[in-house]
Amino acid sequence: MSQKPKLWTKDFIMVATSNFLLFISFYMLIVTLAIYAVDQFDASQSQAGLASSIFVLGAVLVRPIAGRIIDKVGKKKLLLFGLALFLVFMLFYFPVNNLAALLVIRFIHGFAFGISTTATSTIAADIIPIVRRGEGMGYFATSTNLAMAIGPFLGLYISQHFNNPMIFIATTVFAAVALIATVFLRVPKVDIVNEPTPTRKGFHINDFFEKTTIPIAILVATVGFVYSSILSFFSAYAAEINLVDAASFFFIMYAIFLVASRPFTGRLFDAKGENSVVYPSLLLFAVGLVILSQASVGISLLLAGAVIGVGFGTFQSSAQTIAVNQAPRQRIGLATSTFFVFFDFGIGVGPFLLGFVLPLIGFRGLYIAMAVIVLLSVGIYYIVHGKKAAEQRRINMDSTEMKIS
């Protein structure tokens, strides 16, 4: 029996660490910047929301460009540039003295974040052995999922117990550590034979988006839209049902159960194929949303966090692996950027659109509606990828049986 290639290399740990520190900085700032804008600059609620969300707009706009140029510039060089820019603009938060300047800083900071996270995901896909990509990308995505749980908790804790600059001090330190780790990162050279292509002038959509990624990315945008209902309205919902104390541990349960399930789900993806993981993860996400919608005691809220952690967290990493596996090797950077453009779009437009629906159906009705959308997403997955994946697996199994016989 041949030994599996090593997954937990120094370089894999470094790129996952850099990714984690980027995302924890993002989530720490996303939950505190609106409050900061109101306190420091007497911003209106809409202006405060813009100060928080304009960062995501910057990231979305730059990702297609980063995905297009990453192989030309070099993955490590692009990552170093993005991280250096991210660190420099962290420093600009300290002297800012008006709302307009804060908005400009947030927008350019989003650019730096989009460049850096596109590069980390692309580098991770290169570092992970192909035969362990489902497992490896699952662990890599855990760095994002953990940041999603720890970042808001840490950001709110610091804002409640320290003065405003402490948030910027903490995120600046994280950015500096991420940059230092990347300096010592060794990115493998990938030998790619590029077929000659005719020179084209003007704008071409294929230059900025990977077409093989778009079907699964549509599903990712839909599920991201659903998850935005938790990011945006969970705190207000917890206050309405008098479970604020339990709510502070919701994302901790999310992280614990996601990490605990990761070894099993990643190996299952590689051994049995993506359908064996994606269908159950979507169903679990829907079940978690139903539990959340009916929560009346703390334990039910924590149970919802655990189930959603396994469901949504597993789906996100599995979908990213599918996007990378579907793309030609020389377009993995574009596949990664395409994936995150759609995901960020779903996360970004969700709060705006759901804000119109919430007064009509209330929090419990909102989460039931979100569960229905996730159940419909099972059908979307079957159409955009699941059916094809099942047929391909059948062909592979028949081919293996023929070789054995």
Side-chain angles (χ1 to χ4, degrees), residues 28-71:
M28 284 177 68
L29 291 170
I30 206 81
V31 299
T32 56
L33 251 294
I35 301 168
Y36 173 77
V38 172
D39 289 346
Q40 293 293 114
F41 309 120
D42 289 326
S44 66
Q45 287 299 322
S46 60
Q47 290 172 330
L50 182 61
S52 181
S53 61
I54 197 171
F55 184 99
V56 178
L57 176 61
V60 168
L61 291 176
V62 82
R63 284 193 192 278
I65 300 169
R68 185 187 183 192
I69 67 173
I70 189 166
D71 286 312

Side-chain angles (χ1 to χ4, degrees), residues 188-208:
K189 289 185 178 180
V190 180
D191 294 324
I192 298 168
V193 178
N194 288 318
E195 295 180 4
T197 54
T199 303
R200 299 184 299 177
K201 294 181 179 180
F203 175 85
H204 297 276
I205 194 73
N206 285 347
D207 292 337
F208 296 92

Side-chain angles (χ1 to χ4, degrees), residues 15-16 23 26 44 84 91 97 111 116 181 205 221 272 282-283 308 325 327 370 373 382 405:
V15 75
F23 272 95
F26 164 66
S44 66
L91 299 174
N97 56 13
F111 262 62
S116 302
I205 194 73
K272 301 292 184 182
L282 287 171
L283 291 174
I308 289 171
N325 285 345
M370 295 301 98
I373 292 176
Y382 174 79
S405 60

Side-chain angles (χ1 to χ4, degrees), residues 3 23-24 39 82 127 129 135 172 180 185 187 204 213 222 259-260 264 269 299 301 313 319 339 362 366 397 400:
Q3 189 176 8
F23 272 95
I24 202 170
D39 289 346
I127 289 173
E135 183 183 4
T172 299
I180 292 167
L185 177 66
V187 179
H204 297 276
T213 306
T222 304
V259 172
F264 170 75
F269 185 106
I299 191 67
L301 207 64
F339 175 91
L366 175 69
M397 290 178 69
T400 304

